[in-house]
Amino acid sequence: MVKLNAVRDDIKKLSNSVELMAVSKTHPYSAILECYELGQRLFGENRVQEVEEKFPKKEERPQDMYLALIGHLQSNKVKKAVALVDRIDSVDSIKLLLLINKECEKLNKVIDILFEVNSSGEEQKSGFTSKEELFEAVKLLKDLKFVHLRGIMTVGPLGDDREKNIKAFKYTKNIFDEIKSSYISDIDILSMGMSGDYKEAIECGSNLVRIGTAIFGQRDYNV
């Protein structure tokens, strides 16, 4: 039984303006449909392969079910990804940005994206590590007709150190504000916070949290 309503209630105690993404990694499509029946519309998946294997074809899903890819996207998976999902939240390099635009042009499809920021400096994390490279990517967008930047996302530091979490989330919020004020005024998504740290993320300005375990339970990594 999914615990969607309990998570919603907890989020509402902190803010009424935060969107919830249900992340169903390793959990079956039946659990996703259970959330859908409870009114959830935004879902996230980490791997292109799992989207392909688990979800029905896009035209066979409920029309208002919105699916984002939130895990690291390999170059050889871009062609499949742009056809399968509604948004790519993990654009972490200029190379990947250009490739997504190229594949979307072939489909004559404009796709929403988020730029991923490596806010903790941890080597095992994806994301732009350099603000200079990130802002270079932002500047390139004016010439790319098939990608639409909605905002930025980050994954908090490993562990449960509140001070480290807040430092990382404030760093990302500052980048979001700088992009919004100096480059693209209509970005509207700041995606920060997961099951273990979403409260700190919301305190720091997140307006979208990605919750998996707290909704669906522990993941089965043998899947």
Side-chain angles (χ1 to χ4, degrees):
M1 182 69 181
V2 299
K3 299 178 180 178
L4 180 66
N5 287 333
V7 173
R8 282 175 173 164
D9 290 344
D10 281 344
I11 291 172
K12 283 182 180 179
K13 291 175 185 175
L14 299 168
S15 173
N16 286 319
S17 58
V18 175
E19 187 173 14
L20 171 62
M21 175 188 289
V23 180
S24 53
K25 182 178 178 181
T26 79
H27 293 282
Y29 188 63
S30 59
I32 293 167
L33 288 179
E34 188 177 343
C35 286
Y36 181 85
E37 293 300 322
L38 292 171
Q40 181 66 25
R41 295 296 181 264
L42 176 59
F43 297 89
E45 283 292 341
N46 287 67
R47 298 188 303 140
V48 174
Q49 182 179 350
E50 189 163 356
V51 173
E52 192 174 28
E53 293 174 351
K54 185 164 71 179
F55 283 77
K57 294 179 180 178
K58 199 169 186 303
E59 59 270 18
E60 296 173 358
R61 301 174 209 158
Q63 287 190 345
D64 57 351
M65 179 183 285
Y66 194 88
L67 180 60
L69 183 72
I70 62 173
H72 175 66
L73 176 57
Q74 297 173 319
S75 296
N76 63 351
K77 301 289 187 182
V78 170
K79 183 177 181 179
K80 286 184 177 181
V82 299
L84 289 169
V85 302
D86 301 294
R87 192 174 75 217
I88 299 174
D89 290 9
S90 49
V91 181
D92 58 4
S93 70
I94 290 174
K95 176 185 174 182
L96 182 59
L97 172 66
L98 296 174
L99 188 53
I100 291 169
N101 186 74
K102 179 181 178 181
E103 292 297 338
C104 283
E105 183 175 8
K106 294 176 184 177
L107 299 175
N108 195 31
K109 172 183 179 177
V110 177
I111 196 166
D112 287 340
I113 63 168
L114 303 184
F115 282 142
E116 181 175 4
V117 174
N118 185 334
S119 58
S120 64
E122 295 167 338
E123 291 184 0
Q124 62 269 56
K125 295 280 178 62
S126 300
F128 285 91
T129 55
S130 159
K131 285 178 65 174
E132 290 74 20
E133 185 184 6
L134 174 60
F135 290 132
E136 185 180 344
V138 172
K139 293 172 186 176
L140 282 174
L141 289 168
K142 67 180 184 298
D143 298 318
L144 304 179
K145 306 304 181 186
F146 295 90
V147 289
H148 175 226
L149 183 68
R150 293 289 307 278
I152 61 176
M153 70 93 87
T154 196
V155 176
L158 292 171
D160 55 1
D161 187 313
R162 175 179 167 81
E163 289 187 9
K164 286 184 178 179
N165 288 341
I166 289 176
K167 181 180 179 181
F169 294 145
K170 283 185 175 180
Y171 171 80
T172 308
K173 174 64 161 61
N174 288 338
I175 290 176
F176 175 85
D177 290 342
E178 189 169 348
I179 294 173
K180 191 173 181 68
S181 64
S182 301
Y183 297 100
I184 303 174
S185 60
D186 65 345
I187 61 170
D188 60 346
I189 296 175
L190 179 56
S191 175
M192 307 190 298
M194 301 188 294
S195 291
D197 57 15
Y198 70 86
K199 294 180 180 180
E200 292 99 322
I202 292 172
E203 287 177 23
C204 295
S206 174
N207 61 19
L208 190 156
V209 293
R210 310 178 303 274
I211 309 296
T213 303
I215 293 173
F216 295 101
Q218 293 297 321
R219 294 167 175 166
D220 181 358
Y221 286 97
N222 294 317
V223 172

